[in-house]
Amino acid sequence: MTFELKGLVNLDDRKRMDELINFIKIQLDDESDKLALMSNISAFIMGSIRDLNWAGFYFYKEDELILGPFQGLPACTRLSLDKGVCAKAFCNKKTIKVDDVHEFTDHIACDSQSESELVLPLFNEEKVYGVLDLDSPIKNRFTDIELEGFTKIAKLIEEKIYEEF
Ligand code: SME
């Protein structure tokens, strides 16, 4: 597969999301290795969606969320379940959109550039096994386009990757 980042530059956010979903579907059909898939999915996200400074995964292990494949600056390797946006999305089993991370009491700033954040839990049936985390250097970055699009992407990932990392 060839990923043409240049071709996305002039597309609007909805078309970029459609392209991203297509890339991810093809990748999920082509590859079965979880580490390879998660690594490329985080790279596809960063290459397709505008104004992100971090995109990646945390997986539940040893009663914490442990860093998985990602794109962006080095991040906290372990997140405890009592603090932060990722832990809240994981524990409540709900997607969380934070329009201004400075307003979120115990937001964990792995990258000081982050201004808004979207975190989606990943499920194996009822059991949540990790999160997909997206950060933006712009406040209010995540709209219904990203909410709907990343919800679809989380479902696609869950169909293929349904166990702990
Ligand atoms: N901001 C997250 C921590 C992970 S980094 O953003 C990569 C949180 O509050 O849980």
Side-chain angles (χ1 to χ4, degrees):
M1 92 172 343
T2 323
F3 179 60
E4 285 290 350
L5 178 58
K6 270 194 302 192
L8 297 175
V9 169
N10 294 321
L11 297 184
D12 64 25
D13 286 351
R14 195 169 291 282
K15 293 209 176 83
R16 282 170 178 247
M17 183 57 75
D18 291 345
E19 289 292 310
L20 172 63
I21 290 170
N22 283 337
F23 278 124
I24 289 176
K25 278 184 183 161
I26 293 167
Q27 185 76 122
L28 285 164
D29 283 346
D30 279 358
E31 181 54 65
S32 60
D33 185 89
K34 283 183 284 189
L35 186 57
L37 278 170
M38 294 299 194
S39 301
N40 256 1
I41 288 171
S42 52
F44 281 133
I45 293 171
M46 277 299 262
S48 308
I49 303 302
R50 69 172 175 84
D51 298 325
L52 296 181
N53 58 320
W54 204 91
F57 297 91
Y58 280 90
F59 295 102
Y60 179 67
K61 271 187 273 186
E62 301 164 19
D63 214 27
E64 291 178 304
L65 290 173
I66 301 188
L67 184 64
F70 71 97
Q71 296 271 305
L73 287 183
C76 314
T77 53
R78 290 169 186 258
L79 303 172
S80 64
L81 295 185
D82 59 355
K83 195 165 178 267
V85 188
C86 291
K88 190 164 186 188
F90 178 86
C91 294
N92 293 351
K93 300 185 174 185
K94 289 234 155 54
T95 294
I96 300 185
K97 180 167 78 79
V98 181
D99 291 332
D100 179 353
V101 297
H102 307 290
E103 302 282 315
F104 191 97
T105 309
D106 59 4
H107 167 259
I108 299 165
C110 294
D111 179 347
S112 61
Q113 296 292 307
S114 297
E115 293 286 343
S116 58
E117 182 159 6
L118 180 64
V119 182
L120 300 99
L122 296 170
F123 294 92
N124 171 10
E125 295 178 356
E126 296 297 295
K127 190 168 170 255
V128 56
Y129 63 85
V131 297
L132 170 59
D133 182 21
L134 308 149
D135 287 359
S136 171
I138 295 177
K139 284 189 178 58
N140 300 301
R141 167 63 190 89
F142 300 106
T143 68
D144 285 349
I145 295 174
E146 286 75 34
L147 257 181
E148 286 162 20
F150 282 111
T151 301
K152 278 186 199 158
I153 288 167
K155 291 270 168 296
L156 289 170
I157 292 170
E158 287 162 7
E159 282 166 18
K160 185 80 181 238
I161 298 166
Y162 44 82
E163 58 192 47
E164 286 173 25
F165 218 68

